Amino acid sequence: MTSERVLILVEDDEALAKTLKRSFERRDYTVLTADSHAAVLSLLGNHKPGYAVVDLKLGPESGLVCVQSLHAHNPEMLIVVLTGFASIATAVEAIKLGASHYLAKPSNTDDIEAAFARSTGDPSTPLAPRPTSIKTLEWEHIHEVLKDSDFNISEAARRLGMHRRTLARKLAKRQVG
């Protein structure tokens, strides 16, 4: 396979992976999927993708290891890191390891393709801070703790230092996804 329109999608969330795969296939990409670093290495043995979309948090693994392996396999590959847990530290490391762009979730196929198209930096990017409400920060923290506790509400509530019913009420107001 040539690397022209071959994309490797590294995502451990099956529903998101399936959605992105279908969307990229409609745009004439050949999409290979992997849910771990080992799966990425296996795919790289037989394929030479020109594009990659990598989730930063792959269960217990870091997607940064995948970024490093993908870049080592093909330094010309355009790699976009997607994350629901964006931070300056991981953005810097992703770029150092070979990622072309770093996008916060939710991002769609249009956002990712736009990132592939922007292979150089943009000095006119505005320096405005990303507005984040306290409710959004709280929700992101709750979701991260939930994911780390395998979505066990009792365990997540213990780790968050709140009553299980309080956490259940918060979750009922906003769906986990």
Side-chain angles (χ1 to χ4, degrees), residues 27-46:
R27 295 168 189 237
D28 296 323
Y29 286 86
T30 300
V31 181
L32 311 167
T33 59
D35 62 359
S36 67
H37 184 243
V40 168
L41 294 177
S42 175
L43 286 172
L44 290 179
N46 300 321

Side-chain angles (χ1 to χ4, degrees), residues 55-90:
D55 186 13
L56 183 65
K57 194 166 185 177
L58 299 168
E61 294 183 314
S62 169
L64 292 176
V65 176
C66 297
V67 171
Q68 185 176 34
S69 295
L70 290 164
H71 183 70
H73 181 75
N74 179 3
E76 301 300 314
M77 185 184 307
L78 296 174
I79 304 168
V80 172
V81 174
L82 285 180
T83 183
F85 308 99
S87 73
I88 293 171
T90 55

